[in-house]
Amino acid sequence: MEMIKLDYPAEETVPRRVHVGVVGSGDLEVLLEPSNDGQAHVSIRTSVDGYGAIWKNVLDRFFSRYKGAAAIEINDFGATPGIVALRLQQAVEESQS
Amino acid sequence: MSAAVPDLERFLKRRSFIELSARDRAEALLDPGGYHELLGPFDRLHSPWLPMQGIVPQEDDGVIVARGRIDGQPAVIAAIESAFQGGSMGEVGGSKIACALELARQDHEQGIPTRPVLLLETGGVRLQEANLGLAVIAEIQAAIVALRRHVPVVAVISGMVGCFGGMSLAAALCSHLIVTRQARLGMNGPEVIEQEAGIEELDSSDRQLIWSLIGGEQRHAVGLADTLVEDDAVAIAEAVRDAFRRGLPKQPRSEQVKLFLERLAAIDPSQPLDGKALRALWDQGATA
């Protein structure tokens, strides 16, 4: 198990907190809520060690489009980068609906 | 397959309960609107023991507790998420179930008719939490027995994990047990039996054999489950409402000691016994 922390600048407020996903095989849960300092913070706990660079790529790309000041917590159970991106997108959509 | 067309339409229209997450399952059984989750993921009551062992926890520890209404009456549902650690019972998740049942009992003592429903999709105790998991399963069992004096405690096993270990005993203590054909109910899972007793004893990869012994249809046929229902969220919700309409059973299954001792005495362990033969043997003394 490995812990990864990433921070991003943000411009928009997050309307409401949401929870999506499950810590099941090949899946992850995402907890997205407004952060308290106007910046975005991501805290990842993953079952697969040694993929820090890939996590940073996935999150860099996500935050190139998403500007929410979100505190995101991820519990990952071996999801592929594609699944991670989809779950993040799902969380954003639900937080805006 | 010629008669399959009407069934196919029904099949396509149905909303699979098995495919839902535990959270969606709980919501599907409650009256529309008013779903309210207690100790949800943002309360961050995850297992303290899993990260110490290098295992990623889930923020609700795989148990969803939700309040709402069933048939207009107050209700509480505890749903186990089978995708997280095989639905295993750890200290936190198990305590959530035990506390929900305990609070429902307190409701009844204060005249609030809270209806309890358990969605039991679990391999049993979480081995990483050992005795703490076992202790909390005992608490769940004690809470079921205390609560079933006031109100039927209704459990659903829908599959595909099934309900095993100490939690199979919890299922057996419930007043009313609803199963699908895909459900399984047993003390030891097939893989455990094969590992301990050898493949000559039980081939756990033989799905037809396994379901003929411990599958939902068989458990219903021999009177160890009360309602056999299709994998359909609407049908299961109706079965749950119906279980409460029926009210308390005359005698909980686990108190029918004489009946089950007679049933066990009727079995000759020196002779091979399959699911079909057990049905024939026990059919004569079917439970009320």
Side-chain angles (χ1 to χ4, degrees), chain A residues 1 17-19 21-25 29 31-33 45-47 73 75-77, chain B residues 23 41-44 46 50-52 54-60 81 83-85:
Chain A
M1 190 177 76
R17 71 183 194 184
V18 291
H19 170 265
V22 56
V23 191
S25 180
E29 73 173 343
L31 290 82
L32 185 152
E33 54 190 328
R45 190 160 26 198
T46 172
S47 60
E73 195 175 319
N75 287 318
D76 166 62
F77 214 68
Chain B
R23 191 163 276 111
F42 287 98
D43 292 303
R44 292 186 164 79
H46 66 238
L50 291 180
M52 289 180 196
I55 298 167
V56 177
Q58 182 164 295
E59 292 306 328
D60 54 24
E81 176 54 72
F84 175 62
Q85 294 292 325

Side-chain angles (χ1 to χ4, degrees), chain B residues 140-193:
Chain B
I140 291 169
Q141 292 167 348
I144 292 170
V145 172
L147 181 57
R148 74 181 187 189
R149 288 193 283 262
H150 301 278
V151 62
V153 179
V154 177
V156 181
I157 307 170
S158 60
M160 291 297 294
V161 164
C163 182
F164 294 99
M167 291 305 283
S168 72
L169 305 181
L173 290 169
C174 290
S175 320
H176 193 102
L177 186 55
I178 297 165
V179 294
T180 66
R181 227 172 288 278
Q182 290 88 340
R184 292 179 298 172
L185 172 64
M187 187 64 208
N188 288 119
E191 284 85 358
V192 176
I193 296 172

Side-chain angles (χ1 to χ4, degrees), chain B residues 23 116 122 190 270:
Chain B
R23 191 163 276 111
T122 168
S270 69

Side-chain angles (χ1 to χ4, degrees), chain B residues 5-275:
Chain B
V5 174
D7 280 340
L8 179 67
E9 277 174 26
R10 204 155 53 95
F11 179 79
L12 292 174
K13 272 185 197 154
R14 129 214 103 104
R15 182 179 180 219
S16 170
F17 192 75
I18 292 173
E19 289 172 14
L20 299 178
S21 68
R23 191 163 276 111
D24 290 341
R25 287 178 180 190
E27 201 167 358
L29 298 188
L30 292 166
D31 297 349
Y35 172 93
H36 173 61
E37 197 170 323
L38 303 173
L39 300 180
F42 287 98
D43 292 303
R44 292 186 164 79
L45 268 180
H46 66 238
S47 162
W49 311 108
L50 291 180
M52 289 180 196
Q53 295 167 74
I55 298 167
V56 177
Q58 182 164 295
E59 292 306 328
D60 54 24
D61 203 30
V63 172
I64 284 82
V65 178
R67 295 292 319 246
R69 286 181 177 269
I70 292 174
D71 245 354
Q73 295 295 312
V76 63
I77 296 187
I80 301 171
E81 176 54 72
S82 58
F84 175 62
Q85 294 292 325
S88 60
M89 281 291 91
E91 186 189 19
V92 174
S95 297
K96 282 166 73 171
I97 299 177
C99 289
L101 294 168
E102 181 64 18
L103 289 171
R105 185 183 60 78
Q106 288 179 23
D107 276 359
H108 279 270
E109 285 169 358
Q110 291 162 15
I112 305 164
T114 299
R115 298 176 157 189
V117 181
L118 302 176
L119 308 186
L120 302 177
E121 225 48 61
T122 168
V125 68
R126 184 178 294 159
L127 298 180
Q128 294 92 340
E129 303 190 19
N131 295 5
L132 296 170
L134 290 169
V136 85
I137 288 174
E139 280 182 38
I140 291 169
Q141 292 167 348
I144 292 170
V145 172
L147 181 57
R148 74 181 187 189
R149 288 193 283 262
H150 301 278
V151 62
V153 179
V154 177
V156 181
I157 307 170
S158 60
M160 291 297 294
V161 164
C163 182
F164 294 99
M167 291 305 283
S168 72
L169 305 181
L173 290 169
C174 290
S175 320
H176 193 102
L177 186 55
I178 297 165
V179 294
T180 66
R181 227 172 288 278
Q182 290 88 340
R184 292 179 298 172
L185 172 64
M187 187 64 208
N188 288 119
E191 284 85 358
V192 176
I193 296 172
E194 183 186 309
Q195 188 177 313
E196 294 302 313
I199 199 162
E200 309 80 27
E201 178 69 20
L202 189 72
D203 178 358
S204 68
S205 68
D206 186 344
R207 294 167 72 86
Q208 196 174 357
L209 171 69
I210 301 309
W211 262 266
S212 78
L213 295 172
I214 62 170
E217 194 176 5
Q218 171 73 4
R219 292 314 200 187
H220 177 254
V222 297
L224 293 174
D226 302 280
T227 307
L228 178 67
V229 65
E230 253 189 272
D231 170 30
D232 177 351
V234 175
I236 292 175
E238 179 54 30
V240 169
R241 288 191 292 270
D242 184 60
F244 286 109
R245 286 179 201 138
R246 287 195 214 181
L248 292 175
K250 284 195 201 90
Q251 196 179 29
R253 193 177 285 107
S254 67
E255 285 177 12
Q256 298 172 17
V257 177
K258 188 168 167 286
L259 171 77
F260 283 101
L261 283 178
E262 283 169 6
R263 284 178 157 208
L264 289 174
I267 294 171
D268 178 358
S270 69
Q271 297 299 314
L273 184 65
D274 60 14

Side-chain angles (χ1 to χ4, degrees), chain A:
Chain A
M1 190 177 76
E2 192 171 307
M3 306 279 292
I4 300 163
K5 286 191 187 297
L6 298 165
D7 301 300
Y8 295 90
E11 294 162 11
E12 298 156 15
T13 55
V14 174
R16 65 185 193 95
R17 71 183 194 184
V18 291
H19 170 265
V20 297
V22 56
V23 191
S25 180
D27 208 341
L28 70 161
E29 73 173 343
V30 177
L31 290 82
L32 185 152
E33 54 190 328
S35 72
N36 48 24
D37 64 356
Q39 301 298 300
H41 305 282
V42 185
S43 176
I44 299 157
R45 190 160 26 198
T46 172
S47 60
V48 189
D49 293 359
Y51 281 79
I54 294 192
W55 279 103
K56 188 172 181 306
N57 280 345
V58 171
L59 271 302
D60 282 356
R61 175 172 290 192
F62 173 72
F63 279 102
S64 71
R65 279 181 283 180
Y66 177 63
K67 301 294 173 197
I72 295 176
E73 195 175 319
I74 290 173
N75 287 318
D76 166 62
F77 214 68
T80 61
I83 295 288
V84 174
L86 283 169
R87 283 291 187 201
L88 285 168
Q89 188 58 39
Q90 182 191 6
V92 168
E93 279 177 19
E94 290 190 18
S95 78
Q96 291 166 346
S97 64

